Amino acid sequence: MKNLIIILGCALASAACQSDPKASETAVTDRSERDRNANTTGNARVNEAADNTGINVRDRQGTVTPGDQGSSEAETEVTAAIRRGITDTDSLSFTAKNAKVITQGERVTLRGPVESAQEKSTIEAIAKRTAGVSAVDNQLEVKN
């Protein structure tokens, strides 16, 4: 039943676009113009702050990234246990709770920004006390 509803919805949407092709063309043009105007009205500082080219270059130099996460059951269980420990800790900021946890074998790499040295050490302690972890590489960065 759900599939039938989806198919009917797609058919109706397709028919609407075919009946007035200029309407969809105008909407795309208006949206593109609006986006161009938004980017030229004081967003330069936001765009500069979002530039993480230096971090991307650094990460190409052999740094462990989330793409290197091991896929064995033991590795995913270790990562999940650490993530649970991090998210269940009330004293950590939202930023710290989004730290990257990458498990390769029994080695865990922690990456990402945290608000304080205390958060950095708390996350490291959670990782170290997790069963199946023999080494922790703490690459967490304290934000200025």
Side-chain angles (χ1 to χ4, degrees), residues 39-71:
N39 287 335
T40 59
T41 57
N43 287 337
R45 279 185 279 152
V46 172
N47 291 337
E48 288 173 13
D51 181 14
N52 57 351
T53 304
I55 292 171
N56 293 339
V57 170
R58 177 199 69 194
D59 287 351
R60 280 187 232 123
Q61 306 301 320
T63 302
V64 176
T65 64
D68 298 316
Q69 167 67 39
S71 59

Side-chain angles (χ1 to χ4, degrees), residues 115-130:
E115 299 290 333
S116 67
Q118 178 62 40
E119 286 186 336
K120 182 176 179 174
S121 63
T122 298
I123 293 172
E124 182 176 7
I126 291 167
K128 284 183 175 179
R129 71 174 177 244
T130 301

Side-chain angles (χ1 to χ4, degrees), residues 18-105:
Q18 288 176 356
S19 67
D20 189 6
K22 295 228 183 245
S24 62
E25 187 177 306
T26 303
V28 170
T29 303
D30 291 346
R31 188 176 342 119
S32 297
E33 185 175 337
R34 183 183 66 235
D35 293 346
R36 267 195 311 278
N37 289 339
N39 287 335
T40 59
T41 57
N43 287 337
R45 279 185 279 152
V46 172
N47 291 337
E48 288 173 13
D51 181 14
N52 57 351
T53 304
I55 292 171
N56 293 339
V57 170
R58 177 199 69 194
D59 287 351
R60 280 187 232 123
Q61 306 301 320
T63 302
V64 176
T65 64
D68 298 316
Q69 167 67 39
S71 59
S72 75
E73 186 176 341
E75 291 165 322
T76 55
E77 284 177 9
V78 166
T79 299
I82 295 169
R83 295 243 27 94
R84 275 192 303 275
I86 291 170
T87 56
D88 290 346
T89 304
D90 292 334
S91 64
L92 294 175
S93 67
F94 184 75
T95 301
K97 289 183 180 192
N98 283 312
K100 289 151 191 72
V101 178
I102 306 142
T103 306
Q104 297 174 308

